[in-house]
Amino acid sequence: MILVLNLNTSGKPLAEGIDARPDFIKPNQEELAALLGHPVETAEDALQAARTLSRRGVRLVCVSLGAAGSIACEADACYRVRVPKIDCKNPVGSGDSFVAGAATALARGEDTQSILRLAAACGTANALEAESGFVRPDAVRALLPQIEITPITI
């Protein structure tokens, strides 16, 4: 059995939870700004913030950029994750769906790019539906090959 420590919170619980060195966190830009005490407005800001948290022992840090995808960092690599343009019906629940996809892939022992691909496909699939938190497996399968993951040279 694989135990995955996933932290899905914000504010003081996020700050305290990072000390436990979770396997995965996915803060958005506003949550990061509150945590780090400075604005996180650009993809470059998100990259620097993710690197900072990764150095604190979080295995994989993903910073949500909404429809623009995400930035992800682990100990020795960072990635830009881009999602396809979609007809967004309702983005509510997309972050939670992203986290669910990542947790599933982590529990399966998948590599980082596979984790990011499944997470992004699940988050995007959620936005295709009018109902919050509803993810169709066939939509995820269709989105998987459309997720672009590019290593960032640092």
Side-chain angles (χ1 to χ4, degrees):
M1 181 169 103
I2 297 173
L3 175 63
V4 176
L5 178 56
N6 170 38
L7 184 60
N8 186 14
T9 190
S10 61
K12 187 176 178 184
L14 175 60
E16 292 174 352
I18 287 171
D19 292 337
R21 297 184 174 170
D23 292 308
F24 177 79
I25 63 171
K26 189 219 58 73
N28 62 35
Q29 290 165 282
E30 294 79 24
E31 291 164 342
L32 272 179
L35 177 69
L36 299 174
H38 58 79
V40 179
E41 298 172 343
T42 67
E44 181 61 31
D45 294 342
L47 174 62
Q48 295 308 317
R51 290 183 70 204
T52 296
L53 295 178
S54 179
R55 287 189 208 116
R56 288 179 56 187
V58 178
R59 177 178 163 195
L60 181 58
V61 179
C62 293
V63 181
S64 173
L65 303 174
S70 60
I71 298 286
C73 288
E74 57 185 347
D76 58 352
C78 293
Y79 305 91
R80 180 70 166 90
V81 181
R82 289 186 172 84
V83 296
K85 292 197 183 294
I86 61 163
D87 179 19
C88 180
K89 302 280 191 269
N90 183 1
V92 176
S94 291
D96 291 335
S97 297
F98 185 104
V99 170
T104 299
L106 277 161
R108 291 178 184 162
E110 295 184 16
D111 63 66
T112 301
Q113 290 195 31
S114 297
I115 293 165
L116 297 173
R117 191 173 313 284
L118 182 59
C122 288
T124 304
N126 174 83
L128 290 170
E129 302 295 330
E131 183 179 350
S132 299
F134 187 78
V135 175
R136 293 182 190 275
D138 59 325
V140 173
R141 284 189 292 276
L143 287 163
L144 283 169
Q146 298 178 59
I147 306 299
E148 295 179 27
I149 300 174
T150 308
I152 298 173
T153 305
I154 30 180

